[in-house]
Amino acid sequence: QKIASDPWLRARIWLGDLYDKAIGEGSELIRALLWGDRVGLGDEVEGSFRATGITHVLSVSGLHVSILAGALLYLLAAAGIPPRRRFIVVVAALALYCRLLNFEAPVLRSAVMSAVLLGARLYDERSDPLTSLSVAMMVILAWRPLDLFHVGFQLSFLAVLGMFTLGDRLNDMYGKVMRHRKRNRHADKSVAALQATVSATAFTAPVMINTFHGFSLIGILFSPIACLIIGILMLY
């Protein structure tokens, strides 16, 4: 009865069936990445993600939204769509995506931040990540105040706050150390990914420990690699 009365739930089931037919074996992971459907993954697969400290890649959040928004922007630009129309299409697509995932806090946070940053770029205004993060928080809490006590909300905002604050400090320190040395583009990107992971982990660790009674340090090493692989899988 619930399925029959909820068109968005029917849409997720239809999309799942579509991926099952198109991809076959392995579609369970794609469903988990795109709209958080972990039903077909199984305890063994989820246990492997937990053991390596990369369970967060299965939770639809900023990584997934940014990849989808970036891919859509690229396709629209390649098709010659003007910037203003690109902005409207991407914001509309993000709104539909948020609704498909029942407006979960991490997805809504990333969608609002993306809309603010894209809007600032459209009107040639300076965009501030912390301001965008604050706007996203105010929008969500004005709509659903009790999300403040939800673990997913806390982890999502703390992780991004860590990357915007501690991550920037670490990046500045790395720049000063490497100021008079020969730089390697691939090494710089690897260091930046590691800095982001360390920063996000540092800010989310208290909540992880309090809620789940522990967290995996090995995830700091595996998380950047996992994020790269997840990005490739999503674009595929």
Side-chain angles (χ1 to χ4, degrees), residues 71-85:
L72 184 55
L73 278 173
Y74 176 81
L75 292 175
L76 292 172
I81 306 298
R84 190 180 297 273
R85 292 184 181 179

Side-chain angles (χ1 to χ4, degrees), residues 87-97:
F87 172 76
I88 294 173
V89 171
V90 171
V91 170
L94 291 178
L96 287 174
Y97 188 57

Side-chain angles (χ1 to χ4, degrees), residues 30-129:
I30 300 298
R31 293 205 308 268
L33 294 176
L34 289 178
W35 57 88
D37 179 9
R38 304 188 192 181
V39 174
L41 281 181
D43 294 336
E44 184 177 349
V45 175
E46 287 201 54
S48 299
F49 276 87
R50 281 194 298 269
T52 51
I54 56 174
T55 312
H56 62 89
V57 300
L58 295 177
S59 301
V60 180
S61 58
L63 170 67
H64 308 72
V65 173
S66 61
I67 291 173
L68 291 175
L72 184 55
L73 278 173
Y74 176 81
L75 292 175
L76 292 172
I81 306 298
R84 190 180 297 273
R85 292 184 181 179
R86 290 203 300 264
F87 172 76
I88 294 173
V89 171
V90 171
V91 170
L94 291 178
L96 287 174
Y97 188 57
C98 287
R99 183 60 189 88
L100 183 65
L101 273 73
N102 201 29
F103 295 107
E104 294 180 1
V107 182
L108 188 57
R109 185 266 306 161
S110 182
V112 172
M113 288 187 63
S114 298
V116 172
L117 293 173
L118 289 174
R121 184 185 302 174
L122 178 65
Y123 292 100
D124 294 324
E125 296 289 342
R126 180 182 177 185
S127 59
D128 176 39

